[in-house]
Amino acid sequence: MAVSTVSPVTAPAVPQARTADAAVRAQRVIGRILVVIAQSVAIFVPVFLVATFVTFALRSISGLSPARMQLGEQATPEAIARIEEQWGLDRPFLAQYWTWLSDMLRGNLGNSWSNGAGVADLIGMGIGISLSVAALALVIGITLGFAFGALAALRPQTWIDRTITAVMTVFSVMPAFVVGIVLVTVFAVGLGWFPASGYVPLELGLWPWLSHILLPALALSLDVVADVARQLRSGLIAAYRENYVIGAAVRGLSPRRIFLRHVLRNGIGPTLAVLGLKFPALIGGAVVTEWIFGLQGFGRFANDSAQAGDVPAVQGVLVVSIVLVVVFNLIVNIVLGRLTPASQRGV
Amino acid sequence: MLQRIWALPTGKIAFTILGLVLFLAVFGPWIAPQDPLAANPETLTGPSWQHWLGTDYLGRDVLSRLLDGSRTSIIGSLQVALMAMAVGVLPGILSVYLGRVFEWTALRLVDTLISLPFLVFAVAVTALLGNGITQAMLTVGVLVSPLFFRVSRAATLTVARSQYVEAALISGASFGQVVRRHVWAKVLPPIGIALAQTIGVGFVVVSSLTFLGVGVQPPAPTWGGLLASDLGYLDYQPWAPVVPALLIMGTVWGCNLMADALRDVSGRPVVERAR
């Protein structure tokens, strides 16, 4: 590999050749992105079918019925049968699945058993809150995680490194709901700096919006901070031991350039891979943090409808969370493929 | 093996914490000084000689509730870890041997499972499939099984491509013999590490579920449930969440330390011998 870069034959002398070269390279980049998307879709389709089938089968397995919810325990069998017929639950299982699946692909997730409203609309009302919190948590997690991880890697085996490592260990053992309670106790109840619960949309001002989602986002982010910092630290330290770093230093490149161009680029792969796995944890964590902070978001909806036995709503929640995760992973994969082509060669 | 872990400082802390937690799980309900469900008129009191950790909003003894509730969380986290191990290990080993189609399918399946938000699934499954958190724990176990799949596959890959396995096969050892003698020896340490990690993960999941009140009947005490009920009375007892929170964090920390200690004792000697 090292030989080809010094070979004078490949160096284009003519400007036209250089633009052609750039065009080829751009084509290759787009091609690689398309391959990643195609692969992901090829994986996604069968998995999505299996996952949705299991999700749909939950109703039959659970034995729950909208009739119980609407009529209570004293319902006559005839009344139950009538309601189940209304919901189409008397049809064969596979026929029901087919209807549900084809509706779902058209964006119709069915109607809630508890109030008859469209599940897609109900989820749509809350998802903005959850995505705001998750996005802010990601931003906090990545920023702080990068800062801590890079700082620890640049000063390994010093008190800075040890302090950061110790703090990250504490962060990593704190479940989101414990952090959430601590934050509510200290900053909302104790100091009164932030509201303890509720949500204000962004249209009503940046600060009101931010002040409502900052604490829940912080509660969710600590886990991301810890993981990103630790992965980045070990990735960067490993990259600093490589021979090309010594080579770059010998060539007289500045430490900043070595860090940005060589070490960071090569040491960041595992961190991004971990980041891809963090998104589902953020969605899962939303179930707990939204309960603590009184946010009527996606997680709260998931919890409430599960506890109420509202099967179509729960199915909708599961489908939406699968889609969200897959989309996020796709983005991470494309970014990862751009940054570190080696990760595409696969493990 | 256990002696080598005990020799490490992290190992000592891990053993102490996990031993204590296990002790609570087994004997907690018996050593509880008072009835964890008995309400009395002194509600929301601070620590006293009669109630070491005070009383909750119904005047129930907090210490007794903590001790009595320890079992649920710990059994739940063990269920997660054992289920994950049962589902993940064998496919992980077999993925190296059973050809490319199986390998590809298994890898894609694992990629998907690991990316599902298991807390959402746990809440859904627990709530829909009726009371008790066992079903949810088994579901979560399946969802975190990729960890076991990956470590056992990675370990098997290193063994399968090593010369001594080739030598064993050439000298007439059967496939089963190779797995028993060589593969297990390489695969078991990383599985131990993964086991410690998944117990920690499972513990967080059980605590989260009980915190939300999913899968437990109300008067029954759980660590997560105690935290949840403390949350409603922060104005009166802002210190109340400290003890259950510390217990939960301590247990997770113990599991992580155990994983670190296992990694240290299983990693180092191999490197030293190689030199």
Side-chain angles (χ1 to χ4, degrees):
Chain A
M1 223 185 267
V3 185
S4 70
T5 51
V6 279
S7 138
V9 187
T10 52
V14 201
Q16 287 104 332
R18 202 172 288 167
T19 48
D21 211 38
V24 168
R25 209 177 298 144
Q27 235 171 20
R28 234 179 257 155
V29 166
I30 294 168
R32 213 181 289 139
I33 292 176
L34 285 180
V35 166
V36 171
I37 293 177
Q39 273 178 347
S40 311
V41 170
I43 300 159
F44 176 61
V45 169
V47 164
F48 185 73
L49 287 177
V50 174
T52 49
F53 186 78
V54 173
T55 303
F56 187 76
L58 272 179
R59 192 202 78 83
S60 305
I61 301 170
S62 70
L64 292 169
S65 146
R68 283 256 173 278
M69 191 177 271
Q70 291 172 7
L71 304 175
E73 296 297 320
Q74 255 72 55
T76 58
E78 294 80 44
I80 292 178
R82 189 159 38 82
I83 292 213
E84 292 199 336
E85 195 191 329
Q86 274 174 16
W87 288 89
L89 297 176
D90 53 340
R91 296 162 58 217
F93 176 77
L94 283 179
Q96 286 182 45
Y97 174 63
W98 179 245
T99 315
W100 179 75
L101 188 68
S102 49
D103 279 355
M104 184 184 69
L105 294 178
R106 271 182 251 120
N108 176 7
L109 293 170
N111 294 321
S112 157
W113 281 354
S114 41
N115 54 17
V119 171
D121 297 335
L122 291 172
I123 292 178
M125 285 193 317
I127 197 111
I129 301 176
S130 307
L131 288 181
S132 309
V133 174
L136 188 60
L138 265 185
V139 170
I140 297 174
I142 293 172
T143 317
L144 290 184
F146 261 71
F148 286 140
L151 200 60
L154 289 172
R155 301 273 179 280
Q157 307 303 329
T158 60
W159 65 269
I160 300 177
D161 181 24
R162 286 197 200 98
T163 314
I164 289 177
T165 307
V167 172
M168 292 309 125
T169 309
V170 175
F171 279 7
S172 67
V173 299
M174 288 166 79
F177 62 96
V178 172
V179 186
I181 291 175
V182 172
L183 291 176
V184 166
T185 316
V186 175
F187 293 105
V189 177
L191 298 170
W193 291 356
F194 297 97
S197 65
Y199 177 75
V200 171
L202 184 54
E203 291 87 64
L204 297 178
L206 182 67
W207 173 245
W209 172 74
L210 203 61
S211 68
H212 280 90
I213 65 170
L214 189 61
L215 292 185
L218 212 54
L220 279 177
S221 71
L222 289 198
D223 182 45
V224 184
V225 173
D227 264 12
V228 167
R230 284 191 293 191
Q231 288 291 340
L232 192 67
R233 177 184 176 274
S234 53
L236 292 182
I237 287 181
Y240 263 118
R241 292 209 192 100
E242 294 287 340
N243 284 334
Y244 54 72
V245 174
I246 302 174
V250 168
R251 275 187 287 148
L253 299 186
S254 69
R256 166 200 283 255
R257 193 181 154 90
I258 293 178
F259 177 74
L260 291 177
R261 295 277 309 177
H262 299 269
V263 175
L264 192 58
R265 195 162 173 165
N266 287 294
I268 207 173
T271 314
L272 287 176
V274 161
L275 218 49
L277 296 178
K278 279 294 138 193
F279 192 67
L282 289 179
I283 295 190
V287 178
V288 177
T289 46
E290 287 176 8
W291 194 89
I292 297 174
F293 291 96
L295 299 171
Q296 291 297 328
F298 180 73
R300 185 64 193 260
F301 181 70
N303 187 24
D304 289 351
S305 40
Q307 302 229 23
D310 190 346
V311 179
V314 173
Q315 288 167 338
V317 162
L318 294 182
V319 168
V320 169
S321 57
I322 294 170
V323 171
L324 281 179
V325 165
V326 168
V327 169
F328 185 79
N329 276 352
L330 196 62
I331 297 171
V332 169
N333 279 344
I334 292 172
V335 173
L336 200 62
R338 288 287 294 121
L339 275 177
T340 54
S343 72
Q344 291 298 302
R345 289 200 288 272
V347 187
Chain B
M1 190 74 180
L2 293 181
Q3 281 170 342
R4 296 227 307 270
I5 298 174
W6 181 252
L8 296 170
T10 48
K12 278 200 186 68
I13 304 174
F15 263 127
T16 314
I17 294 176
L18 294 183
L20 208 66
V21 170
L22 212 60
F23 176 81
L24 287 183
V26 178
F27 299 106
W30 293 335
I31 56 175
Q34 290 168 31
D35 182 356
L37 303 180
N40 73 61
E42 298 145 34
T43 57
L44 297 170
T45 60
S48 63
W49 277 114
Q50 212 196 342
H51 305 288
W52 288 8
L53 295 177
T55 54
D56 70 357
Y57 65 104
L58 289 176
R60 298 174 295 196
D61 183 46
V62 172
L63 177 66
S64 303
R65 287 180 70 72
L66 275 177
L67 289 172
D68 195 60
S70 50
R71 198 176 277 176
T72 322
S73 318
I74 288 143
I75 291 180
S77 53
L78 289 178
Q79 282 170 337
V80 170
L82 293 178
M83 183 69 186
M85 189 168 73
V87 176
V89 171
L90 204 57
I93 296 176
L94 291 180
S95 73
V96 178
Y97 294 107
L98 284 190
R100 299 198 63 176
V101 177
F102 181 84
E103 187 178 13
W104 194 87
T105 320
L107 280 173
R108 297 292 84 77
L109 204 61
V110 158
D111 284 350
T112 322
L113 280 181
I114 198 100
S115 66
L116 295 178
F118 51 74
L119 201 53
V120 178
F121 274 75
V123 170
V125 169
T126 325
L128 295 189
L129 299 189
N131 38 30
I133 52 172
T134 304
Q135 300 95 324
M137 292 302 101
L138 299 184
T139 314
V140 174
V142 173
L143 293 181
V144 297
S145 64
L147 183 60
F148 285 94
F149 177 92
R150 284 187 177 167
V151 296
S152 58
R153 173 179 155 79
T156 314
L157 270 176
T158 60
V159 189
R161 288 178 189 161
S162 66
Q163 288 185 329
Y164 62 86
V165 166
E166 210 179 322
L169 287 172
I170 289 170
S171 58
S174 72
F175 178 71
Q177 275 173 321
V178 169
V179 169
R180 252 173 290 145
R181 272 192 72 87
H182 301 294
V183 179
W184 277 132
K186 266 277 169 23
V187 171
L188 280 181
I191 289 179
I193 297 168
L195 201 58
Q197 285 171 336
T198 37
I199 292 176
V201 170
F203 194 79
V204 173
V205 175
V206 191
S207 309
S208 307
L209 287 180
T210 52
F211 175 77
L212 293 169
V214 178
V216 278
Q217 297 305 315
T222 56
W223 290 0
L226 279 162
L227 267 182
S229 69
D230 289 340
L231 195 57
Y233 301 92
L234 281 180
D235 287 339
Y236 309 99
Q237 292 184 312
W239 47 268
V242 172
V243 180
L246 280 183
L247 277 173
I248 292 171
M249 283 165 54
T251 312
V252 179
W253 191 46
C255 293
N256 288 358
L257 279 180
M258 183 55 89
D260 288 347
L262 272 170
R263 192 177 293 129
D264 286 350
V265 297
S266 61
R268 252 181 230 146
V270 179
V271 176
E272 276 162 14
R273 249 178 265 139
R275 278 175 198 158

